[in-house]
Amino acid sequence: MTGGLARQPPEARTAAAYAAHRMLWWAREGDVLVLPTLPDDALADYITGLTGTPRA
């Protein structure tokens, strides 16, 4: 998403990870989602609850 993450400051890497968590909104059953960090459980539960997509 940002090119060379190794050159980015920690704040920028964290922001990029949080932005990547938005992909949860478009994931559907059977999709594989690879994220740079684990999303917060509350966020994942909220999104999957609204979209009807199983977390597994």
Side-chain angles (χ1 to χ4, degrees):
M1 288 177 53
T2 64
L5 281 177
R7 296 185 310 230
Q8 299 295 324
E11 298 83 14
R13 291 193 300 265
T14 299
Y18 287 148
H21 293 172
R22 295 180 193 163
M23 296 300 294
L24 286 167
W25 285 106
W26 292 278
R28 295 297 177 256
E29 187 170 1
D31 289 349
V32 175
L33 192 58
V34 179
L35 299 171
T37 61
L38 288 174
D40 185 63
D41 283 333
L43 175 68
D45 288 341
Y46 176 74
I47 293 173
T48 57
L50 287 176
T51 62
T53 305
R55 280 190 68 175

